[in-house]
Amino acid sequence: MSVFSKYLTDSRLVQLQAGSGIGFSTFLILHLTNAIAASSGELGWDGVREFFRLYYQNPFVEVVTVFGSLLLHAGTSSIIFYRRNERQKRVKKEDGDKDVKKTVHIPLALQLHRFTGYILTGLTFAHIFATRISTFIWDLDVDFQFLNWGLASKPVLMFPYYVLFSFSGIYHLSYGLPQALRVIFGVKLPDWTSPRRPYFWIWNGLVGLGVLSGILSLSGLLFPTNTSRFALLDEQFNGKVNQILQAVGLKSVL
């Protein structure tokens, strides 16, 4: 057993995964709530965003609770995934030519949790670049109008992105947070939080409808929107992206 495996045991990995999941969930819950608030229009979304930013853009919270938890959660999940696959390979190798087939039944709810985790891992880093890093590089204000511009100018790309990102976040959070609270604090939440109960799916559906309403509002489909910055955003964002593409030898796609 390597020194790494000795100290980073499977049980410790699960604890780190759960703890980092709880930390990042505080940010995810606020983001999903903000998406629902978009249903009330530009003033509602921007106002809620500014209030929530007092928490998640606090330097300590942003570095430790948001980025730190995200990296730790993704890292521990990757190691758990790797070890699980290695164990399965060893079992198959030990079976050899035996006719006995060892199959492990993975509940659909758990499969969905893992699958949405893979989606969130990729999309979250893209989201951070588009909404946080870009504010430092290009001095963009990622407000309601910025998201409205993205959805209006590239609906085929951005609408599926927001729907997939949001719904993956809702499910991953709903399934994973109760598990994480049990691992870290020994808390057993009410039975309705279990995916074995219809209330779990009803809850996910209601939150999903709220978020979908927010996305439709951000798209400009529910209320008239202010498009005064669209021309400037076209110049700022598309121009910078095309410069990057040309610098690495790719053609402009925007």
Side-chain angles (χ1 to χ4, degrees), residues 26-35 44-63 65-67 127-136 139-147 162 229:
T26 62
F27 170 74
L28 182 56
I29 289 170
L30 295 184
H31 247 48
L32 291 172
T33 304
N34 204 172
W45 192 90
D46 285 342
V48 171
R49 178 197 64 157
E50 291 305 312
F51 178 68
F52 285 168
R53 277 183 168 182
L54 296 174
Y55 169 72
Y56 65 73
Q57 285 194 359
N58 173 282
F60 176 82
V61 172
E62 186 168 33
V63 172
T65 308
V66 179
F67 291 113
H127 179 74
I128 289 172
F129 176 81
T131 61
R132 196 72 183 109
I133 297 177
S134 63
T135 61
F136 296 107
D139 193 29
L140 293 173
D141 183 14
V142 186
D143 57 0
F144 185 98
Q145 198 173 152
F146 176 84
L147 301 183
Y162 280 115
R229 285 176 54 219

Side-chain angles (χ1 to χ4, degrees), residues 2-254:
S2 66
V3 175
F4 180 79
S5 299
K6 179 180 178 181
Y7 291 101
L8 204 57
T9 60
D10 289 347
S11 60
R12 190 163 295 170
L13 274 172
V14 169
Q15 291 176 333
L16 289 171
Q17 183 191 46
S20 58
I22 292 171
F24 190 75
S25 72
T26 62
F27 170 74
L28 182 56
I29 289 170
L30 295 184
H31 247 48
L32 291 172
T33 304
N34 204 172
I36 295 172
S39 302
S40 62
E42 184 171 355
L43 290 177
W45 192 90
D46 285 342
V48 171
R49 178 197 64 157
E50 291 305 312
F51 178 68
F52 285 168
R53 277 183 168 182
L54 296 174
Y55 169 72
Y56 65 73
Q57 285 194 359
N58 173 282
F60 176 82
V61 172
E62 186 168 33
V63 172
V64 177
T65 308
V66 179
F67 291 113
S69 293
L70 173 62
L71 292 173
L72 182 59
H73 196 69
T76 52
S77 299
S78 298
I79 297 172
I80 290 172
F81 175 81
Y82 171 78
R83 289 185 179 180
R84 184 170 60 242
N85 281 353
E86 288 299 304
R87 280 194 294 269
Q88 291 174 352
K89 289 178 183 178
R90 284 198 299 271
V91 169
K92 290 180 180 179
K93 187 176 181 180
E94 290 169 0
D95 284 347
D97 297 328
K98 296 178 183 178
D99 292 331
V100 180
K101 294 183 179 180
K102 295 183 178 180
T103 59
V104 178
H105 173 69
I106 302 175
L108 178 60
L110 178 56
Q111 293 183 49
L112 285 173
H113 178 68
R114 291 174 178 175
F115 182 67
T116 53
Y118 305 147
I119 293 173
L120 287 171
T121 300
L123 295 185
T124 297
F125 287 105
H127 179 74
I128 289 172
F129 176 81
T131 61
R132 196 72 183 109
I133 297 177
S134 63
T135 61
F136 296 107
I137 298 177
W138 301 322
D139 193 29
L140 293 173
D141 183 14
V142 186
D143 57 0
F144 185 98
Q145 198 173 152
F146 176 84
L147 301 183
N148 178 218
W149 164 78
L151 283 159
S153 60
K154 300 170 183 63
V156 176
L157 173 65
M158 300 308 297
F159 191 83
Y161 160 77
Y162 280 115
V163 170
L164 183 61
F165 195 11
S166 300
F167 277 65
S168 294
I170 293 168
Y171 182 81
H172 199 77
L173 177 68
S174 299
Y175 182 96
L177 186 57
Q179 309 291 332
L181 291 171
R182 179 180 56 80
V183 169
I184 300 298
F185 302 110
V187 175
K188 184 176 180 181
L189 295 182
D191 193 51
W192 63 266
T193 61
S194 169
R196 294 189 299 271
R197 298 290 180 263
Y199 304 107
F200 173 88
W201 300 101
I202 293 171
W203 165 253
N204 274 261
L206 290 174
V207 176
L209 286 174
V211 171
L212 181 60
S213 174
I215 295 172
L216 292 174
S217 177
L218 287 165
S219 302
L221 299 177
L222 298 185
F223 308 102
T225 55
N226 179 8
T227 61
S228 60
R229 285 176 54 219
F230 275 28
L232 177 62
L233 287 167
D234 281 332
E235 180 182 352
Q236 283 183 307
F237 193 81
N238 292 345
K240 294 295 183 181
V241 171
N242 284 333
Q243 286 179 13
I244 294 173
L245 292 174
Q246 291 170 4
V248 296
L250 297 176
K251 293 182 179 180
S252 170
V253 295
L254 300 174

